Amino acid sequence: MGWSWILMFFSLFTFMSPSYGYDPLDPNGNIAIKWDVLQWSSSSYDARVSIINYQLYRHIETPGWKLSWTWPGDEVIWDMWGALAHEQGNCSEFKGEQLPYCCEKTPLILDRGPGTPFNKQVANCCRDGLLTSMIQDPSKHGAMFQMNVGTASSNVSDMTMPRNFSLGVPGYTCGDPFQVPPSRFPEEGGRRWTQALMTWNVSCSYSQFLASTAPTCCVSLSAFYNSTIVPCPQCSCGCEGIPGTKCAKPGETPLLLPQGDGQQPDLVRCSRHMCPIRVHWHVKTSYREYWRVKITVTNLNLVKNYSAWNLVVLHPNLQSITQVFSFNYRSLNEHGTINDTGMFWGIQYYNELLLQAGESGNVQTEMLLHKDPGIFTFREGWAFPRKISFNGDQCVMPSPDEYPRLPNTGPSATPPSLCIILLLSLSVIVML
């Protein structure tokens, strides 16, 4: 016991405070669920449900979203377009030729795939539950489906929203629905507008701590002026040899069995850091007015490909980035005039897919940056990033005292002014 346990408890309590979902690089980021009531009758109503990703760089990848909620009464789904209910449930209360599509108290809704029949499609549906970030592809950051909702009593007299919404994606927590002004929809090219009868919104926020109790990526560093390669910190994402920790040694091909949802359990290469993703930052070259950096992202996960991956980098010299090779790039200027954060992602049909561990399990780029007078230097680790995130999750950085050091004879961004002053002084003395 003692002070160490008290400090550990205090740190955990602080980390789990209500502010855990706030991201200063994306302060307004969230996933919104919009519930529009389009038509109403005494026996049923039509609802259009939209899932919109308002996050700048976080996205939903395979296996996609799995939306669920809990009905307040005896509601059932009579029909659905653009999505499907995983279970029909017990519909024994209904008699007749046609049974409801879903009678589950807490239905699990899955997105349909691209091959869905046309009569079961709606706009922005059928993408296997994938949602891109707002920056990477704004045309695919939303999903939609429509359903007809009734009750076992065949009387819909009052509209009561469901509760306990969940996206079914680790790390996301959804709040309670709240009513907003009815949504408006354009028709005839915007010449006519219609609107929903009623609209509710549900906001879902992300927490890296809830998504995974351990980090999922780490950073290693190197530079041309030092032969030392600083590896990822030991046990960044786990420790090899600890009970319950599984990894594959070089040359091993373990047999993996699918889990209940058909997905393969993650398995990484054995390493000192045990992270599925390693990002390497290499200060490659120094020119007179520019300097060059090489970034390599390596996938050490043996069973998972990362689709639509992205990196977010925090470095003060990104305000003067000149050119990026092989990656897309956009500045994340979320704090007025401060421009020190940028987002990198793959080029479509070229390197947008980060393959599982192996010879092709990496993507890399180089970027050229201008040396800003007055702030640029190779000293004190200034050339290395302050923070790196992969797919929205912050990576573990090496300790600053381990950064590659600049030799005494190494290049410097500023001229040795003190030596010049001394030389000029000696010249004046000799002339006198």
Side-chain angles (χ1 to χ4, degrees), residues 280 284 293-298 309 311 324-328 344-347 350-351 354 359-367:
H280 185 74
K284 186 175 181 179
V293 172
K294 181 177 181 179
I295 302 176
T296 304
V297 184
T298 304
W309 60 269
L311 283 179
V324 177
F325 306 89
S326 305
F327 284 1
N328 289 308
F344 301 83
W345 70 97
I347 298 174
Y350 177 57
N351 56 4
L354 178 55
E359 294 183 0
S360 302
N362 68 85
V363 290
Q364 48 190 297
T365 185
E366 295 188 8
M367 58 179 173

Side-chain angles (χ1 to χ4, degrees), residues 194-208:
T194 60
Q195 71 176 43
L197 300 179
M198 292 171 283
T199 299
W200 281 264
N201 277 358
V202 177
S203 181
C204 304
S205 59
Y206 178 81
S207 165
Q208 182 176 348

Side-chain angles (χ1 to χ4, degrees), residues 11-12 53 89 158 166-167 169 318 357 365:
S11 300
L12 183 61
N53 184 11
D158 189 20
S166 173
L167 287 172
V169 180
L318 289 180
T365 185

Side-chain angles (χ1 to χ4, degrees), residues 134-431:
M134 290 187 66
I135 288 181
Q136 285 177 267
D137 191 348
S139 66
K140 297 179 181 179
H141 77 115
M144 185 185 299
F145 63 90
Q146 194 166 322
M147 58 185 174
N148 180 259
V149 180
T151 65
S153 60
S154 299
N155 184 16
V156 182
S157 59
D158 189 20
M159 175 66 203
T160 304
M161 275 293 293
R163 298 287 177 178
N164 304 324
F165 279 84
S166 173
L167 287 172
V169 180
Y172 285 92
T173 303
C174 299
D176 293 330
F178 55 95
Q179 194 164 5
V180 295
S183 301
R184 301 175 70 243
F185 313 106
E187 293 183 358
E188 303 293 336
R191 299 174 62 186
R192 168 179 164 81
W193 288 82
T194 60
Q195 71 176 43
L197 300 179
M198 292 171 283
T199 299
W200 281 264
N201 277 358
V202 177
S203 181
C204 304
S205 59
Y206 178 81
S207 165
Q208 182 176 348
F209 179 80
L210 294 180
S212 175
T213 55
T216 56
C217 59
C218 63
V219 179
S220 56
L221 307 170
S222 63
F224 70 91
Y225 52 75
N226 194 311
S227 59
T228 301
I229 298 178
V230 179
C232 287
Q234 189 168 4
C235 296
S236 295
C237 305
C239 293
E240 183 181 359
I242 292 181
T245 301
K246 296 181 180 180
C247 64
K249 296 182 179 179
E252 288 185 348
T253 307
L255 177 63
L256 298 173
L257 298 177
Q259 297 174 337
D261 57 0
Q263 297 296 316
Q264 295 280 8
D266 287 347
L267 183 69
V268 301
R269 288 287 187 194
C270 295
S271 62
R272 68 190 304 271
H273 54 79
M274 294 292 290
C275 292
I277 294 293
R278 181 185 66 221
V279 182
H280 185 74
W281 179 284
H282 176 63
V283 180
K284 186 175 181 179
T285 313
S286 176
Y287 306 104
R288 181 176 179 179
E289 295 184 2
Y290 300 90
W291 61 298
R292 184 184 291 257
V293 172
K294 181 177 181 179
I295 302 176
T296 304
V297 184
T298 304
N299 185 4
L300 300 175
N301 194 325
L302 294 169
V303 297
K304 182 176 182 179
N305 298 327
Y306 292 88
S307 60
W309 60 269
N310 65 69
L311 283 179
V312 174
V313 178
L314 175 64
H315 192 286
N317 212 171
L318 289 180
Q319 63 181 356
S320 299
I321 192 167
T322 302
Q323 189 171 3
V324 177
F325 306 89
S326 305
F327 284 1
N328 289 308
Y329 174 80
R330 175 174 164 178
S331 173
L332 296 179
N333 190 5
E334 297 301 310
H335 302 285
T337 58
I338 302 176
N339 184 12
D340 59 359
T341 308
M343 175 177 168
F344 301 83
W345 70 97
I347 298 174
Q348 190 175 18
Y349 307 125
Y350 177 57
N351 56 4
E352 63 178 342
L353 181 64
L354 178 55
L355 298 176
Q356 63 192 38
E359 294 183 0
S360 302
N362 68 85
V363 290
Q364 48 190 297
T365 185
E366 295 188 8
M367 58 179 173
L368 194 65
L369 304 104
H370 185 263
K371 294 180 179 179
D372 291 339
I375 65 170
F376 176 82
T377 179
F378 281 127
R379 299 187 181 278
E380 308 299 334
W382 188 90
F384 298 106
R386 310 303 186 260
K387 182 188 298 184
I388 290 183
S389 298
F390 178 81
N391 280 355
D393 289 340
Q394 188 171 335
C395 301
V396 179
M397 296 284 298
S399 175
D401 58 4
E402 297 178 354
Y403 286 5
R405 298 182 179 276
L406 185 68
N408 293 333
T409 57
S412 176
T414 56
S417 56
L418 182 59
C419 296
I420 293 176
I421 293 174
L422 292 174
L423 289 174
L424 290 175
S425 301
L426 289 174
S427 301
V428 173
I429 293 174
V430 172
M431 291 176 64

